[in-house]
Amino acid sequence: MLKVKACGLSDVGLTRLHNEDYFEIDPEHRLYVVADGMGGHNHGEVAAQVAVRAIRDYIEKSAADGAPLGPDGALGHGARRLKTALKAAHHKVLRAIEQDDSLSGMGTTVVGFLFERESGAVAHVGDSRAYRLRGGMLEQLTQDHTWVHEQVVAGFLSKEQARSHPLKNVVTRALGGESEILIDVRELEMVPGDLFLLCSDGLTTMLSDREIRDALVAGKSLHETCRALVADANARGGTDNVTVVLLAFEADDPDETIA
Ligand code: CA
């Protein structure tokens, strides 16, 4: 049996006036989400919040009454549930735009983690990322839906060049964007000692994977680690909102709770 401890932190950064990131930690449903909204006149905030609430609502509803899941038979229950939740969030953002012209053009990235029946699922759209630290090694679990990532895959840019490229913020997929949405989802097995990080690009454009890893292995508490990651991003300029959610998996020893 595994148990999970989580904490999250979101910061406006040093140059933006508004924080258009949003995150959710829902221990009851073991759902963890980071969203990074976009759109003028603070509408990114609206998009991120609408999406995160829609995801949480769907996960809650599907826990209670077995709401219909998407038809993706190759995926397990938790992964299908999370993917369907992101799809529902996409349609919710589109509906909000339909109902209010002033919200036109808003959208949001999202990365979500759902822990169900001892296994995990990560789903994402855009450039918010999930990482796993295991045995001191940091692995990026998501592939950015960005123009620069496509250039990295094609061999035209290095990962480091992509991180500082002027077009680094151009996402190729977002909730609220095209009417049909493609959602990447993967299933994961966790072991005690695993540390997962969900974050917005305000972290990953400021810090390299190596620097993120160093902060995660520094032996601090989860809260201190969240604060350190945000402080490090701000120390590098803090030119974007930065949001981190950390999940630590531990063995849930029944004897421990009796004692
Ligand atoms: Ca951002």
Side-chain angles (χ1 to χ4, degrees), residues 20 34 43 47 67 98 102 112-113 119 132 135 138 155 157 170 191 193 196-197 213 219 222 230 236 241 252:
E20 300 192 318
V34 168
H43 293 158
E98 271 169 27
S102 75
F113 184 97
S119 63
R132 175 176 60 202
L138 187 70
L157 289 175
V170 177
V191 298
F196 284 75
L197 166 69
R213 177 207 168 265
L222 281 189
V230 169
R236 287 298 170 82
N241 309 141
D252 190 9

Side-chain angles (χ1 to χ4, degrees), residues 21 36 201-202 240-241:
D21 287 358
D36 175 354
D201 72 328
D240 196 359
N241 309 141

Side-chain angles (χ1 to χ4, degrees), residues 187-204:
E187 296 173 287
L188 303 154
E189 294 301 322
M190 287 82 66
V191 298
D194 278 352
L195 188 61
F196 284 75
L197 166 69
L198 309 180
C199 60
S200 63
D201 72 328
L203 184 77
T204 52

Side-chain angles (χ1 to χ4, degrees), residues 50-259:
V50 165
V52 170
R53 286 180 186 147
I55 291 167
R56 189 194 56 204
D57 288 350
Y58 181 82
I59 292 297
E60 192 175 5
K61 186 170 170 343
S62 59
D65 69 2
L69 295 173
D72 205 335
L75 293 170
H77 188 267
R80 277 195 294 160
R81 216 171 136 213
L82 185 60
K83 188 175 178 180
T84 309
L86 264 64
K87 203 167 273 187
H90 173 60
H91 290 294
K92 198 95 182 193
V93 174
L94 287 178
R95 266 206 303 283
I97 294 168
E98 271 169 27
Q99 288 164 2
D100 182 350
D101 280 350
S102 75
L103 297 175
S104 171
M106 76 172 183
T108 186
T109 75
V110 69
V111 59
F113 184 97
L114 182 68
F115 178 38
E116 184 189 286
R117 298 176 194 165
E118 299 296 302
S119 63
V122 167
H124 85 291
V125 171
D127 62 359
S128 295
R129 291 183 183 173
Y131 287 90
R132 175 176 60 202
L133 182 80
R134 177 180 287 176
M137 301 278 288
L138 187 70
E139 182 190 355
Q140 186 180 331
L141 299 171
T142 51
Q143 298 295 315
D144 294 346
H145 303 136
T146 58
W147 181 83
V148 289
H149 179 68
E150 289 174 3
Q151 304 311 302
V152 171
V153 171
F156 296 129
L157 289 175
S158 71
K159 236 184 141 184
E160 282 309 299
Q161 286 171 324
R163 218 158 58 77
S164 56
H165 196 280
L167 297 179
K168 64 180 184 293
N169 293 324
V170 177
V171 294
T172 50
R173 296 188 211 171
L175 299 187
E178 301 291 320
S179 56
E180 283 302 312
I181 189 76
L182 282 170
I183 296 160
D184 287 356
V185 59
R186 62 183 288 184
E187 296 173 287
L188 303 154
E189 294 301 322
M190 287 82 66
V191 298
D194 278 352
L195 188 61
F196 284 75
L197 166 69
L198 309 180
C199 60
S200 63
D201 72 328
L203 184 77
T204 52
T205 52
M206 295 290 136
L207 302 180
S208 67
D209 285 5
R210 178 64 193 248
E211 290 165 327
I212 292 170
R213 177 207 168 265
D214 288 348
L216 297 182
V217 299
K220 295 177 176 166
S221 72
L222 281 189
H223 282 97
E224 286 168 344
T225 305
C226 283
R227 280 199 292 270
L229 287 166
V230 169
D232 289 351
N234 283 337
R236 287 298 170 82
T239 57
D240 196 359
N241 309 141
V242 53
T243 302
V244 295
V245 168
L246 283 173
L247 312 176
F249 287 88
E250 296 170 8
D252 190 9
D253 183 351
D255 294 337
E256 198 182 308
T257 49
I258 293 164

